[in-house]
Amino acid sequence: MRLIFLGPPGAGKGTQSELICKDFGIKQISTGDLLRYHRIEGTELGKKAQFYMDKGELVPDEIIIEMIRNELRKTEYLDGFLLDGFPRTIPQAEALDKLLSDSGLKLDAVLVLIVPMEELVARLTARRVCPKCGKVYHLISNPPKNDNICDIDGIELYQRTDDTEETVRNRLNVYEQQTAPLIGYYENQGLAYKVDGNGKIEDIYKKIKDIILKILKGKEETHSEK
Ligand code: AMP
């Protein structure tokens, strides 16, 4: 199964991706996580990306497309993947279409999480992350059991450098201008499924799971008709 998770920063894509990947046994590819990994490792790519990330701007398409091309070559994605944070522009979406069609592959669905803008600023500025396992917490709606400490690793959580209010507002503007047009792009391909991203994590997940199960059922039926 090949899925894309679309939605503004802070919509809950990371949290929901974790649940989907666990339940359906697919691998998540988060371009944000890949870029943060490159930054920590101090690679050339990481150094180039840092400049854009800290301002809340998008890293140039050619850098991201090259990074995804390399990532998708890995055998662990042969059975499928869930793309989180990619594509973010029309040229990225077109490059992905080409990469997949060159390998005779197709996307199954694009899940679109819808959350009002005002809600996103509050969510993002209260977000905290475990530096070891990457688990994402929210100080109000999904806090760790002990103050600022990861439930799994027992170490102190951190705030992403791009989760400060000014950068968050810029990231949301960038989303509206450059990424939101992708909803129409995938609607035209009949692949977009909109999900209301407001409410409890488990209730949102239930809606997402129902969509994925329907898609899987549709695939089974198509196979058995052959
Ligand atoms: P995220 O963790 O998905 O919110 O990504 C954090 C930052 O990484 C973004 O604000 C961008 O600067 C950069 N980034 C992640 N994915 C992409 C992408 N597909 N295209 C361009 N920049 C990206």
Side-chain angles (χ1 to χ4, degrees):
M1 192 167 43
R2 290 173 195 87
L3 301 173
I4 290 179
F5 220 151
L6 206 60
K13 299 189 298 294
T15 306
Q16 296 294 336
S17 295
E18 228 178 86
L19 299 171
I20 297 170
C21 290
K22 212 156 80 189
D23 248 4
F24 292 95
I26 50 174
K27 293 264 180 189
Q28 178 205 15
I29 305 176
S30 154
T31 40
D33 284 349
L34 285 173
L35 290 168
R36 280 184 285 279
Y37 172 79
H38 277 280
R39 283 182 64 166
I40 292 167
E41 292 292 305
T43 66
E44 269 315 301
L45 196 160
K47 283 180 203 152
K48 276 190 208 156
Q50 184 164 348
F51 172 79
Y52 302 96
M53 292 173 85
D54 284 345
K55 288 197 296 182
E57 303 282 339
L58 293 186
V59 175
D61 286 339
E62 57 278 14
I63 297 181
I64 295 288
I65 292 166
E66 185 56 23
M67 186 176 79
I68 278 288
R69 184 179 291 122
N70 289 331
E71 189 66 20
L72 286 177
R73 283 201 187 109
K74 296 185 181 166
T75 50
E76 62 198 270
Y77 304 119
L78 281 178
D79 290 338
F81 51 73
L82 170 62
L83 282 167
D84 165 9
F86 178 91
R88 258 171 153 108
T89 62
I90 299 280
Q92 290 183 18
E94 289 170 345
L96 177 66
D97 283 348
K98 170 113 185 26
L99 271 177
L100 292 177
S101 66
D102 284 352
S103 309
L105 300 172
K106 273 193 184 149
L107 285 171
D108 292 299
V110 178
L111 303 164
V112 188
L113 265 184
I114 308 284
V115 179
M117 284 293 157
E118 327 75 84
E119 165 84 18
L120 293 168
V121 177
R123 281 195 193 183
L124 284 163
T125 49
R127 180 159 72 176
R128 298 293 182 273
V129 187
C130 172
K132 190 164 178 213
C133 68
K135 188 172 165 60
V136 178
Y137 297 87
H138 182 281
L139 295 183
I140 296 149
S141 62
N142 182 29
K145 292 195 186 88
N146 295 314
D147 210 16
N148 222 31
I149 299 292
C150 177
D151 294 347
I152 300 163
D153 295 299
I155 55 174
E156 202 175 335
L157 305 175
Y158 76 103
Q159 182 178 33
R160 280 173 40 174
T161 50
D162 56 353
D163 276 347
T164 56
E165 185 158 346
E166 195 194 342
T167 311
V168 159
R169 291 200 181 273
N170 194 30
R171 287 164 65 203
L172 294 175
N173 280 335
V174 167
Y175 175 81
E176 274 303 308
Q177 285 165 20
Q178 303 195 53
T179 309
L182 289 180
I183 301 174
Y185 179 89
Y186 288 117
E187 273 172 345
N188 289 339
Q189 296 188 16
L191 287 172
Y193 295 81
K194 288 187 182 161
V195 182
D196 179 356
N198 256 324
K200 286 198 198 135
I201 291 173
E202 55 273 28
D203 294 341
I204 301 165
Y205 181 59
K206 178 155 187 328
K207 289 184 272 186
I208 293 175
K209 191 171 174 177
D210 286 346
I211 293 172
I212 297 177
L213 288 173
K214 254 191 219 151
I215 294 165
L216 284 175
K217 198 159 171 271
K219 277 179 80 140
E220 261 171 36
E221 281 165 7
T222 322
H223 277 294
S224 54
E225 277 163 18
K226 279 183 186 164

Short mmCIF file of all heavy atoms in Angstrom, two decimals, residues 9 30-33 35-36 52-53 56-61 64 84-88 92 127 160 162 171, ligand 1:
data_model
loop_
_atom_site.label_atom_id
_atom_site.label_comp_id
_atom_site.label_asym_id
_atom_site.label_seq_id
_atom_site.Cartn_x
_atom_site.Cartn_y
_atom_site.Cartn_z
N PRO A 9 1.33 21.67 8.93
CA PRO A 9 2.16 21.31 10.08
C PRO A 9 1.29 21.34 11.34
O PRO A 9 0.47 22.25 11.49
CB PRO A 9 3.20 22.43 10.14
CG PRO A 9 3.17 23.11 8.82
CD PRO A 9 1.82 22.87 8.22
N SER A 30 9.28 10.20 6.53
CA SER A 30 9.03 11.59 6.86
C SER A 30 10.22 12.41 6.37
O SER A 30 11.35 12.22 6.85
CB SER A 30 8.86 11.74 8.38
OG SER A 30 9.21 13.05 8.78
N THR A 31 9.98 13.30 5.41
CA THR A 31 11.09 14.11 4.89
C THR A 31 11.62 15.04 5.99
O THR A 31 12.82 15.31 6.05
CB THR A 31 10.68 14.91 3.64
OG1 THR A 31 9.37 15.43 3.82
CG2 THR A 31 10.73 14.06 2.40
N GLY A 32 10.74 15.51 6.87
CA GLY A 32 11.19 16.35 8.00
C GLY A 32 12.17 15.57 8.88
O GLY A 32 13.23 16.08 9.25
N ASP A 33 11.81 14.32 9.21
CA ASP A 33 12.69 13.49 10.05
C ASP A 33 14.02 13.21 9.34
O ASP A 33 15.09 13.24 9.95
CB ASP A 33 12.03 12.14 10.39
CG ASP A 33 10.95 12.29 11.47
OD1 ASP A 33 10.86 13.37 12.08
OD2 ASP A 33 10.20 11.32 11.69
N LEU A 35 15.48 15.05 7.10
CA LEU A 35 16.29 16.28 7.10
C LEU A 35 16.89 16.54 8.47
O LEU A 35 18.06 16.92 8.58
CB LEU A 35 15.44 17.47 6.67
CG LEU A 35 15.00 17.49 5.21
CD1 LEU A 35 13.93 18.55 4.97
CD2 LEU A 35 16.20 17.75 4.28
N ARG A 36 16.10 16.30 9.53
CA ARG A 36 16.64 16.51 10.89
C ARG A 36 17.79 15.54 11.17
O ARG A 36 18.77 15.88 11.81
CB ARG A 36 15.52 16.37 11.95
CG ARG A 36 14.67 17.64 12.06
CD ARG A 36 13.62 17.52 13.15
NE ARG A 36 12.52 16.66 12.77
CZ ARG A 36 11.50 17.06 12.01
NH1 ARG A 36 11.42 18.28 11.57
NH2 ARG A 36 10.53 16.22 11.69
N TYR A 52 16.92 26.85 5.47
CA TYR A 52 15.49 26.98 5.14
C TYR A 52 14.62 26.55 6.31
O TYR A 52 13.62 27.19 6.63
CB TYR A 52 15.15 26.12 3.92
CG TYR A 52 15.98 26.48 2.71
CD1 TYR A 52 17.15 25.79 2.39
CD2 TYR A 52 15.60 27.55 1.90
CE1 TYR A 52 17.91 26.13 1.30
CE2 TYR A 52 16.36 27.90 0.79
CZ TYR A 52 17.52 27.19 0.50
OH TYR A 52 18.27 27.55 -0.58
N MET A 53 14.99 25.45 6.94
CA MET A 53 14.16 24.89 8.01
C MET A 53 14.00 25.87 9.17
O MET A 53 12.92 26.04 9.71
CB MET A 53 14.77 23.58 8.53
CG MET A 53 14.72 22.46 7.52
SD MET A 53 15.63 21.01 8.08
CE MET A 53 14.40 20.18 9.07
N GLY A 56 11.43 28.33 8.56
CA GLY A 56 10.09 27.81 8.28
C GLY A 56 9.79 27.80 6.79
O GLY A 56 8.65 27.70 6.37
N GLU A 57 10.86 27.92 5.97
CA GLU A 57 10.69 27.88 4.51
C GLU A 57 10.86 26.44 4.01
O GLU A 57 11.45 25.61 4.70
CB GLU A 57 11.78 28.72 3.82
CG GLU A 57 11.86 30.17 4.25
CD GLU A 57 10.78 31.02 3.62
OE1 GLU A 57 10.24 30.60 2.59
OE2 GLU A 57 10.48 32.09 4.18
N LEU A 58 10.42 26.20 2.78
CA LEU A 58 10.62 24.88 2.21
C LEU A 58 12.04 24.74 1.68
O LEU A 58 12.59 25.69 1.10
CB LEU A 58 9.63 24.62 1.07
CG LEU A 58 8.16 24.51 1.44
CD1 LEU A 58 7.35 24.10 0.22
CD2 LEU A 58 7.94 23.50 2.57
N VAL A 59 12.61 23.57 1.87
CA VAL A 59 13.92 23.24 1.28
C VAL A 59 13.68 23.11 -0.23
O VAL A 59 12.64 22.59 -0.65
CB VAL A 59 14.44 21.92 1.91
CG1 VAL A 59 15.72 21.47 1.26
CG2 VAL A 59 14.62 22.10 3.43
N PRO A 60 14.60 23.61 -1.09
CA PRO A 60 14.35 23.59 -2.54
C PRO A 60 13.99 22.19 -3.07
O PRO A 60 14.53 21.18 -2.61
CB PRO A 60 15.68 24.08 -3.13
CG PRO A 60 16.30 24.91 -2.05
CD PRO A 60 15.87 24.27 -0.76
N ASP A 61 13.07 22.20 -4.05
CA ASP A 61 12.55 20.95 -4.60
C ASP A 61 13.64 19.96 -5.02
O ASP A 61 13.54 18.78 -4.73
CB ASP A 61 11.66 21.26 -5.83
CG ASP A 61 10.32 21.84 -5.42
OD1 ASP A 61 9.91 21.64 -4.26
OD2 ASP A 61 9.69 22.50 -6.26
N ILE A 64 15.08 17.99 -2.14
CA ILE A 64 14.12 17.05 -1.55
C ILE A 64 13.85 15.87 -2.48
O ILE A 64 13.79 14.72 -2.06
CB ILE A 64 12.78 17.79 -1.24
CG1 ILE A 64 13.00 18.86 -0.17
CG2 ILE A 64 11.69 16.83 -0.82
CD1 ILE A 64 13.24 18.33 1.21
N ASP A 84 5.04 11.11 4.73
CA ASP A 84 4.57 12.12 5.67
C ASP A 84 5.42 13.38 5.46
O ASP A 84 6.63 13.37 5.71
CB ASP A 84 4.74 11.53 7.09
CG ASP A 84 4.63 12.58 8.19
OD1 ASP A 84 4.27 13.73 7.90
OD2 ASP A 84 4.93 12.22 9.35
N GLY A 85 4.80 14.45 4.95
CA GLY A 85 5.56 15.69 4.73
C GLY A 85 6.13 15.79 3.32
O GLY A 85 6.87 16.72 3.02
N PHE A 86 5.82 14.86 2.49
CA PHE A 86 6.23 14.88 1.08
C PHE A 86 5.10 14.27 0.26
O PHE A 86 4.57 13.24 0.66
CB PHE A 86 7.51 14.07 0.86
CG PHE A 86 7.94 14.04 -0.58
CD1 PHE A 86 8.80 14.99 -1.09
CD2 PHE A 86 7.45 13.05 -1.44
CE1 PHE A 86 9.17 14.97 -2.43
CE2 PHE A 86 7.82 13.03 -2.78
CZ PHE A 86 8.68 13.99 -3.27
N PRO A 87 4.74 14.80 -0.88
CA PRO A 87 5.23 16.03 -1.48
C PRO A 87 4.63 17.27 -0.81
O PRO A 87 3.60 17.20 -0.17
CB PRO A 87 4.75 15.93 -2.92
CG PRO A 87 3.54 15.06 -2.86
CD PRO A 87 3.75 14.11 -1.73
N ARG A 88 5.29 18.40 -1.00
CA ARG A 88 4.82 19.66 -0.43
C ARG A 88 4.63 20.73 -1.49
O ARG A 88 4.22 21.84 -1.16
CB ARG A 88 5.83 20.16 0.60
CG ARG A 88 5.40 19.91 2.05
CD ARG A 88 6.60 20.25 2.89
NE ARG A 88 6.35 20.66 4.22
CZ ARG A 88 6.61 19.93 5.30
NH1 ARG A 88 7.01 18.69 5.18
NH2 ARG A 88 6.45 20.44 6.50
N GLN A 92 7.14 18.67 -6.69
CA GLN A 92 7.49 17.45 -5.94
C GLN A 92 6.49 16.33 -6.24
O GLN A 92 6.87 15.17 -6.41
CB GLN A 92 7.50 17.72 -4.43
CG GLN A 92 8.65 18.60 -3.96
CD GLN A 92 8.66 18.78 -2.45
OE1 GLN A 92 8.05 18.04 -1.69
NE2 GLN A 92 9.39 19.80 -1.99
N ARG A 127 4.07 21.64 21.21
CA ARG A 127 4.59 20.31 20.83
C ARG A 127 5.97 20.08 21.45
O ARG A 127 6.81 20.98 21.48
CB ARG A 127 4.68 20.25 19.32
CG ARG A 127 5.20 18.94 18.79
CD ARG A 127 4.83 18.71 17.37
NE ARG A 127 5.55 19.56 16.43
CZ ARG A 127 5.42 19.45 15.13
NH1 ARG A 127 4.58 18.58 14.60
NH2 ARG A 127 6.10 20.24 14.33
N ARG A 160 11.17 21.58 19.03
CA ARG A 160 11.84 21.77 17.74
C ARG A 160 12.12 23.25 17.51
O ARG A 160 11.31 24.10 17.87
CB ARG A 160 10.94 21.25 16.61
CG ARG A 160 11.01 19.75 16.46
CD ARG A 160 10.02 19.20 15.48
NE ARG A 160 9.85 20.00 14.27
CZ ARG A 160 9.11 19.62 13.24
NH1 ARG A 160 8.48 18.45 13.28
NH2 ARG A 160 8.97 20.38 12.18
N ASP A 162 11.91 24.93 15.00
CA ASP A 162 10.94 25.59 14.12
C ASP A 162 9.52 25.57 14.69
O ASP A 162 8.57 25.87 13.99
CB ASP A 162 10.97 24.99 12.70
CG ASP A 162 10.73 23.50 12.67
OD1 ASP A 162 10.67 22.88 13.75
OD2 ASP A 162 10.60 22.95 11.56
N ARG A 171 5.45 28.85 8.61
CA ARG A 171 5.25 27.51 8.05
C ARG A 171 3.80 27.33 7.60
O ARG A 171 3.53 26.68 6.60
CB ARG A 171 5.62 26.45 9.09
CG ARG A 171 7.13 26.36 9.31
CD ARG A 171 7.47 25.62 10.57
NE ARG A 171 7.08 24.23 10.53
CZ ARG A 171 6.88 23.49 11.63
NH1 ARG A 171 7.00 24.03 12.83
NH2 ARG A 171 6.54 22.23 11.52
P1 AMP B 1 8.15 18.73 9.04
O1 AMP B 1 8.81 17.94 10.11
O2 AMP B 1 7.46 17.85 8.01
O3 AMP B 1 7.24 19.80 9.57
O4 AMP B 1 9.33 19.48 8.23
C1 AMP B 1 10.18 20.41 8.88
C2 AMP B 1 10.84 21.31 7.85
O5 AMP B 1 11.63 20.51 6.95
C3 AMP B 1 9.88 22.08 6.95
O6 AMP B 1 9.44 23.29 7.54
C4 AMP B 1 10.77 22.33 5.73
O7 AMP B 1 11.72 23.35 5.98
C5 AMP B 1 11.54 21.03 5.62
N1 AMP B 1 10.83 20.03 4.78
C6 AMP B 1 10.32 18.83 5.17
N2 AMP B 1 9.76 18.19 4.13
C7 AMP B 1 9.90 19.00 3.06
C8 AMP B 1 9.50 18.93 1.69
N3 AMP B 1 8.82 17.87 1.21
N4 AMP B 1 9.83 19.96 0.86
C9 AMP B 1 10.53 21.03 1.32
N5 AMP B 1 10.90 21.18 2.59
C10 AMP B 1 10.61 20.18 3.46
#
